[in-house]
């Protein structure tokens, strides 16, 4: 059934031509002047006329959920920062040094939606950063960008230079020292920090370690970053797409935002707003599409407005719904709704980055599982033994199964190993092992017949004694 949509044009992609609203051939990088002329900075100016806590409350009211993978409510995360106090005259105490770390690592395989925002509308991200910094009383922001994003880092550096030249950032205060709702100017500095190409740095505490110049190893929590984060100071970590939603939310209001997307059908938090969905794999028109949350995967794959069907007229076999760590949807789950309830409803880890990779009927799912296991084995930081050793075992088992050298018991062993590793079983610090085991488990369970065809039966001999030697 088609998903009802109120969208007549993109919101995040307002300036980026994307199907079905415009032909992507018209894309170009938006500079400061064009950004301002097309409605840019309206949300920031409105936010600056408010008090910081009022901005936070509006974002909290919108129920904007993080677009980086976990789906944690953005405004609620901001409230975890230490509270400021007021003196007798009503003046705020100094909030002290705080940081914003922007997660632009985007190293989750099959995910490329943040890259598009950085490539073509970098000032939207910078406006979102400024709004977040003002609301959270943060004076220093770092954009941690994936090491392989060479071009995107240059685009951001150029946009930042424009923003400083126009007085958005810098010691003089936002917009050349404009007065805020606090009755004073507020200064923010922003920097681009390039990563070294490690997948694990997309995990928020691994990102903080890398920002500090150390090996990107995730930290044990608590303490959580909002209390003790970058350089031991309170830190907010938000994804690129999450921050890019802030200007439109502040400009149009939380009630407007909540008219997009869907409420939960299983009693959980709602999935409001639009979401960038980068579709790849065996479809006729791959690309990044801005959709309301809740759109059925079938609509995204088959509609002429979006991907225009499975390539070559073949049948749909399965899809990775949101980056490989989320697990796989089976052949009977094409109608899965792309919202934050997808994990509980369709037995995957979650919505993740909502960037589906589609498989046609000819896809070898055993090879897919082996390739995913290889990736996680390579990217494990090695800090936790269950992940370090378990990821290696899973890769060995998947390689053995693919090569036809495994037995039936190896399938059970693979599932046993997978179930025993991860932060949810409580055996690892971060969720890399969870992504590994959910990917492998869901592929084996939903495509069990393919695996069973590649393994040899395991025979367990049973000895029986009869006659005089038998015991009664």
């Amino acid at each position: 059934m088609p998903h009802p949509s109120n969208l007549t044009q993109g919101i995040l992609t307002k300036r980026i031509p994307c199907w079905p609203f415009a032909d992507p051939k018209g894309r170009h990088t938006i500079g400061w002047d064009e950004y301002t002329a097309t409605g840019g900075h309206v949300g920031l100016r409105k936010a600056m006329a408010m008090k910081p806590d009022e901005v936070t409350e509006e974002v909290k009211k919108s129920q904007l959920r993080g677009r980086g993978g976990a789906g944690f409510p953005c405004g609620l995360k901001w409230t975890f920062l230490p509270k400021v106090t007021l003196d007798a005259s009503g003046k705020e105490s100094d909030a002290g040094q705080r940081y914003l770390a922007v997660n632009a690592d985007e190293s989750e395989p099959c995910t490329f939606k943040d890259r598009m925002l950085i490539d073509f509308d970098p000032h939207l991200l910078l406006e979102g950063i400024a709004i977040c910094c003002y609301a959270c009383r943060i004076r220093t922001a770092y954009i941690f960008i994936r090491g392989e994003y060479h071009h995107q880092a240059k685009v951001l550096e150029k946009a930042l230079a424009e923003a400083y030249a126009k007085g958005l950032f810098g010691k003089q205060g936002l917009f050349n020292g404009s007065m805020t709702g606090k009755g004073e100017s507020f200064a923010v500095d922003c920097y681009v920090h390039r990563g070294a190409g490690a997948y694990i740095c997309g995990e928020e505490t691994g990102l903080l370690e890398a920002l500090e110049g150390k090996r990107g190893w995730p930290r044990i929590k608590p303490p959580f970053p909002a209390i003790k984060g970058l350089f031991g100071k309170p830190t907010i970590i938000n994804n690129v797409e999450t921050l890019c939603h802030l200007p439109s939310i502040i400009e149009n209001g939380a009630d407007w935002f909540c008219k997009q997307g869907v409420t939960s059908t299983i009693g959980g938090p709602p999935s409001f707003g639009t979401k960038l969905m980068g579709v790849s794999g065996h479809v006729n028109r791959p690309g990044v599409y801005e959709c309301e949350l809740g759109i059925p995967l079938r609509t995204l794959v088959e509609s002429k407005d979006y991907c225009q069907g499975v390539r070559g007229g073949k049948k749909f076999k399965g899809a990775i719904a949101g980056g490989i760590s989320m697990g796989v949807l089976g052949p009977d789950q094409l109608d899965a709704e792309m919202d934050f309830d997808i994990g509980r409803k369709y037995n995957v880890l979650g919505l993740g980055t909502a960037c589906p990779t589609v498989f046609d009927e000819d896809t070898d799912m055993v090879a897919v599982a082996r390739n995913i296991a290889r990736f996680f084995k390579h990217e494990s930081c090695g800090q936790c033994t269950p992940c370090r050793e378990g990821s290696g075992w899973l890769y060995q088992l998947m390689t053995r199964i693919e090569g036809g050298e495994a037995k039936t018991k190896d399938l059970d062993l693979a599932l046993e190993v997978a179930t025993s590793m991860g932060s949810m079983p409580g055996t690892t610090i971060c969720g890399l092992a969870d992504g590994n085991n959910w990917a492998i488990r869901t592929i084996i369970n939903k495509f069990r017949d393919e695996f069973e065809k590649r393994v040899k039966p395991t025979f367990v001999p049973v000895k029986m004694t009869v006659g005089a030697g038998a015991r009664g």
Side-chain angles (χ1 to χ4, degrees):
M1 179 180 294
H3 176 64
S5 176
N6 299 316
L7 293 182
T8 56
Q9 68 172 27
I11 297 170
L12 294 175
T13 57
K14 174 182 176 182
R15 301 172 189 85
I16 307 173
C18 291
W19 301 118
F21 308 115
D23 191 333
K25 291 180 180 178
R27 290 176 180 173
H28 63 281
T29 301
I30 307 296
W32 175 279
D33 292 337
E34 184 178 356
Y35 183 73
T36 303
T38 53
H41 301 124
V42 174
L44 175 58
R45 291 188 183 279
K46 184 176 178 181
M48 290 174 62
M50 303 161 66
K51 294 181 179 179
D53 288 343
E54 293 173 343
V55 178
T56 298
E57 190 57 35
E58 191 69 15
V59 174
K60 188 177 176 182
K61 182 181 175 183
S62 75
Q63 301 187 66
L64 168 66
R65 297 176 67 170
R67 293 337 197 209
F72 193 83
C74 176
L76 180 61
K77 178 186 283 190
W78 291 0
T79 64
F80 295 160
L81 289 167
K83 302 294 186 290
V84 296
T85 58
L86 302 176
D87 61 18
S89 63
K91 185 177 180 180
E92 288 185 0
S93 62
D94 183 10
Q97 182 62 59
R98 300 176 173 195
Y99 294 101
L100 169 64
V102 181
N103 191 342
D105 190 68
E106 196 168 50
S107 51
E108 179 71 27
C110 316
T111 302
F112 44 91
K113 43 93 178 176
D114 291 344
R115 173 179 175 173
M116 186 185 74
L117 291 171
I118 295 169
D119 264 332
F120 302 111
D121 203 359
H123 287 286
L124 178 64
L125 171 60
L126 298 184
E127 183 179 359
I129 289 171
I131 291 172
C132 175
C133 286
Y134 175 67
C136 298
R137 303 170 179 87
I138 294 171
R139 297 187 180 275
T140 308
Y142 289 97
I143 304 172
F144 186 93
I145 189 166
R146 180 181 177 182
E148 293 86 350
Y149 278 4
H150 305 290
H151 172 71
Q152 289 71 29
K154 293 177 182 177
V155 171
L156 278 177
E157 290 283 13
K158 182 178 179 181
L160 261 179
E162 285 186 297
Y164 270 94
K166 296 293 185 178
L168 176 62
F169 295 122
K171 302 302 181 186
Q172 78 287 340
L174 293 171
F175 282 126
N176 292 305
S178 297
M179 297 296 285
T180 69
K182 293 174 60 179
E184 58 188 12
S185 62
F186 188 83
V188 177
D189 279 307
C190 185
Y191 307 93
V192 175
H193 182 100
R194 298 184 66 176
Y199 170 81
I200 196 59
C201 289
E203 194 277 336
E204 61 178 17
T205 59
L207 183 152
L208 295 181
E209 289 285 294
L211 265 178
E212 292 179 0
K214 295 181 280 189
R215 180 182 293 180
W217 276 11
R219 300 174 180 174
I220 296 175
K221 295 179 285 189
F224 292 93
I227 303 300
K228 186 178 180 181
L230 187 62
F231 305 119
K233 301 297 183 180
T235 304
I236 290 296
I237 305 164
N238 282 144
N239 170 259
V240 167
E241 186 185 349
T242 309
L243 293 168
C244 286
H245 269 293
L246 299 181
S248 60
I249 290 174
I250 299 302
E251 178 182 353
N252 300 297
D255 292 338
W256 164 85
F257 184 79
C258 293
K259 292 178 182 177
Q260 306 149 26
V262 292
T263 57
S264 174
T265 58
I266 56 176
S271 298
F272 289 145
T274 64
K275 180 79 183 68
L276 295 184
M277 300 186 184
V279 189
S280 60
H282 302 147
V283 292
N284 286 313
R285 192 168 70 183
V288 179
Y289 300 92
E290 184 174 7
C291 312
E292 290 189 63
L293 281 165
I295 183 173
L297 181 60
R298 181 185 297 275
T299 302
L300 191 58
V301 171
E302 296 182 350
S303 170
K304 62 180 179 61
D305 291 331
Y306 299 108
C307 297
Q308 302 182 342
V310 178
R311 191 175 62 193
K314 296 181 179 180
K315 295 180 181 179
F316 171 86
K317 183 172 187 176
I320 294 170
I324 63 171
S325 60
M326 294 298 106
V328 70
L329 295 170
D332 59 341
Q333 296 178 327
L334 180 56
D335 290 306
E337 300 89 356
M338 297 292 288
D339 59 38
F340 288 103
D341 287 340
I342 193 171
R344 291 171 60 187
K345 292 171 69 174
Y346 296 98
N347 192 28
V348 291
L349 185 54
L351 182 64
T353 56
C355 290
T357 301
V358 178
F359 304 125
D360 67 22
E361 58 188 307
D362 295 332
T363 305
D364 182 351
M365 298 308 294
V366 178
V368 170
R370 187 265 308 151
N371 197 33
I372 290 174
R374 178 203 58 79
F375 173 81
F376 282 113
K377 173 184 178 294
H378 181 269
E379 294 297 338
S380 174
C381 77
Q383 188 177 185
C384 304
T385 303
C387 179
R388 181 183 67 243
E389 302 299 326
S391 61
W393 294 344
L394 282 177
Y395 176 58
Q396 290 180 34
L397 287 165
M398 293 301 106
T399 302
R400 193 185 307 166
I401 293 169
E402 185 183 21
E405 300 171 355
K407 295 186 177 181
T408 309
K409 66 178 182 181
D410 290 319
L411 283 177
D412 298 328
L413 180 59
L415 291 172
E416 182 180 347
V417 170
T419 308
S420 301
M421 54 189 278
S423 58
M424 284 188 285
T427 60
T428 61
I429 293 173
C430 84
L432 183 143
D434 294 282
N436 190 355
N437 79 58
W438 272 86
I440 300 303
R441 277 194 292 148
T442 55
I443 293 175
I444 292 177
N445 288 330
K446 295 179 182 181
F447 299 93
R448 178 98 186 188
D449 58 330
E450 288 194 37
F451 286 82
E452 289 180 344
K453 290 176 183 177
R454 303 282 268 273
V455 299
K456 303 170 185 176
T458 301
F459 294 101
V460 180
V462 178
K463 295 184 179 180
M464 297 180 62
T465 305
V466 295
R471 294 184 178 180

